[in-house]
Amino acid sequence: DMAYQSLLKSTRQQLHHHIAQVLAEQFPAAKATQPELLAHHYTAAGLIGQALPYWQQAGQRAVQRSANLEAISHLTKGLELLKTLPDTPERAQQELTLQLTLGPPLMATKGYAAPEVGEAYARARALSKQVGETPQLFSVLYGLWAFYQVRGEFPTARELGHELLMLAQTVHDSALLLMSHWALG
């Protein structure tokens, strides 16, 4: 650690960049099985744009394994790094995906009615409006509906249920229609 800390920051960044490149090129399985490792090295190299997809992938893999605290950690790291990038439509889309992925592990660890859950889905909704109609909008609205339903804020939950129904009818998706009718029920 002392030797590492004695290196110039630029030298440390170059080493992390080299390690990330070697991992990506010579160990392609690491991309799929240990995306958090590449995310860490790209982040330490100061290559935020290259690190973000790996933080997202690491969060998704953790969610699939029900490693919710790990998922929250990875996704939160990605969200923190996003704040350093300029506000562009691509950045908004990346943040929307991260926020939407963050919702379920927050629900699992803190409860459906936790303020953090509401914040994640409210931010995702604001980003959906900014980005425009996306396929993710139904999931955003459904997450918000669940948040307000469990909190007992039934008028707001009902409004969201109606939005879900209108969206499901617009896209003519029977599974979404079923979910929206269930939400209204």
Side-chain angles (χ1 to χ4, degrees):
D1 284 340
M2 290 207 40
Y4 178 79
Q5 293 300 326
S6 70
L7 294 172
L8 292 173
K9 183 179 178 183
S10 61
T11 304
R12 287 193 308 250
Q13 286 179 321
Q14 289 172 352
L15 288 172
H16 282 289
H17 183 216
H18 183 69
I19 292 168
Q21 282 182 318
V22 168
L23 285 171
E25 294 168 6
Q26 295 182 14
F27 301 96
K31 288 169 123 175
T33 60
Q34 293 180 295
E36 63 279 359
L37 186 59
L38 278 101
H40 165 74
H41 286 294
Y42 278 125
T43 301
L47 301 170
I48 306 307
Q50 290 173 284
L52 283 169
Y54 290 111
W55 286 119
Q56 170 68 33
Q57 187 181 352
Q60 286 174 323
R61 282 183 43 80
V63 167
Q64 291 168 351
R65 294 189 324 272
S66 296
N68 293 311
L69 293 176
E70 183 180 330
I72 291 167
S73 174
H74 295 322
L75 296 165
T76 302
K77 181 67 175 175
L79 288 168
E80 289 170 9
L81 291 173
L82 262 178
K83 293 176 184 176
T84 66
L85 297 178
D87 192 13
T88 64
E90 294 79 23
R91 178 193 173 277
Q93 181 59 54
Q94 280 184 311
E95 184 180 354
L96 172 59
T97 303
L98 286 166
Q99 292 285 3
L100 202 49
T101 307
L102 182 60
L106 284 173
M107 287 176 170
T109 57
K110 297 186 180 283
Y112 280 70
E116 298 90 340
V117 171
E119 291 167 12
Y121 281 110
R123 179 67 181 146
R125 186 174 193 184
L127 290 163
S128 292
K129 289 178 181 178
Q130 182 180 340
V131 171
E133 286 288 320
T134 68
Q136 298 162 311
L137 182 58
F138 192 89
S139 296
V140 170
L141 294 174
Y142 195 81
L144 274 174
W145 168 82
F147 169 74
Y148 285 111
Q149 180 72 14
V150 173
R151 287 178 68 91
E153 296 181 31
F154 301 122
T156 305
R158 187 179 61 245
E159 288 175 30
L160 288 162
H162 285 293
E163 286 184 54
L164 287 166
L165 180 60
M166 290 187 325
L167 182 58
Q169 289 171 336
T170 302
V171 297
H172 305 291
D173 186 319
S174 59
L176 298 183
L177 277 169
L178 178 67
M179 290 174 70
S180 59
H181 281 293
W182 184 80
L184 285 170

